[in-house]
Amino acid sequence: MPDHEQPSRAELDNRAELQRRIDRERTQGEDRVEARQYLARKIELECQNETIDVDFLLHAYSDIYDQPVLMLMQDLQNRAALYYNVVEALKAPGSGATAADLKSQYAHLGLIFEDNDWPNPNGRDLMDKAISRINKLRTAILDTLRTHGRRLISDLNFDATLAVGVQVEFSWPPGFTITVQPEVTVRVPEAVAAQ
């Protein structure tokens, strides 16, 4: 067989890595929903603490995902959006939504767990809990970006000719944005630069 048809060591390594990813996806494919529920429960349990332990959560995400920082950031943002929706539903005039109704509806949709710690039936207590959780999740998003932002950008593996930025939004609901743009270098002729 000619040399040009022999796969290089790098190609073999890439193929082996691809096969590991395929195997991982195959074994986790059926368990993806269970994994997401497991991680959502971990986030909810962390929300019961005074602060969310981002490193603890990231360790759990690293066991399941190839891009754990990105997946954790997305899930933190999704949980914050869920609590934002609770606040909006409770304050909507004429909605008639009670804490018990929301708890039942969100549990039925699989967004919260049947054994959740939501207050029932007091709407004011649920409002306070939702706002508290949004604040904790906002801080967790910021802490994740502050301590693991470089890893996030590295995991995304953008082309070196692109400038990548990550922003945390302190809006309602809190979140993060990844911006990507081409990096442009302009050469200035020496005659112009000397002026």
Side-chain angles (χ1 to χ4, degrees):
M1 185 180 264
D3 285 335
H4 70 279
E5 292 182 22
Q6 294 281 340
S8 69
R9 179 70 185 156
E11 288 174 322
L12 291 174
D13 289 344
N14 287 341
R15 287 180 187 166
E17 175 61 24
L18 179 60
Q19 188 59 50
R20 280 192 294 277
R21 286 183 180 184
I22 290 169
D23 291 343
R24 187 174 180 183
E25 284 296 318
R26 185 178 301 125
T27 57
Q28 290 182 352
E30 298 95 25
D31 299 331
R32 185 70 63 184
V33 172
E34 289 87 5
R36 291 303 289 239
Q37 290 294 327
Y38 166 76
L39 294 170
R41 183 175 289 276
K42 281 193 170 293
I43 291 173
E44 283 299 313
L45 290 173
E46 281 297 305
C47 282
Q48 293 176 17
N49 299 329
E50 190 161 323
T51 59
I52 295 174
D53 185 345
V54 169
D55 291 327
F56 170 75
L57 290 172
L58 193 56
H59 181 72
Y61 275 73
S62 295
D63 291 341
I64 297 172
Y65 294 110
D66 290 333
Q67 297 177 326
V69 179
L70 177 63
M71 297 307 294
L72 174 58
M73 295 274 290
Q74 288 176 345
D75 285 351
L76 291 170
Q77 184 172 346
N78 288 343
R79 298 312 290 176
L82 176 134
Y83 285 104
Y84 170 77
N85 288 339
V86 169
V87 168
E88 290 300 312
L90 286 171
K91 72 178 194 175
S95 72
T98 66
D101 294 337
L102 291 174
K103 186 175 184 176
S104 174
Q105 177 185 4
Y106 280 55
H108 175 74
L109 294 171
L111 298 172
I112 62 170
F113 306 97
E114 294 291 337
D115 61 345
N116 66 67
D117 67 334
W118 284 19
N120 190 10
N122 191 332
R124 180 66 207 164
D125 289 344
L126 180 54
M127 175 77 79
D128 291 343
K129 180 173 287 299
I131 290 171
S132 172
R133 296 259 167 110
I134 290 169
N135 290 333
K136 288 178 184 180
L137 290 160
R138 176 188 294 124
T139 301
I141 290 169
L142 180 60
D143 286 348
T144 304
L145 186 56
R146 181 180 53 79
T147 57
H148 302 286
R150 290 182 197 269
R151 181 176 174 191
L152 170 65
I153 292 171
S154 174
D155 284 352
L156 293 174
N157 198 24
F158 283 105
D159 185 284
T161 63
L162 297 174
V164 179
V166 182
Q167 300 172 325
V168 173
E169 299 155 10
F170 282 97
S171 58
W172 280 77
F176 72 101
T177 303
I178 298 173
T179 57
V180 182
Q181 61 187 27
E183 198 167 87
V184 178
T185 304
V186 177
R187 294 187 182 255
V188 178
E190 288 181 31
V192 174
Q195 293 177 356

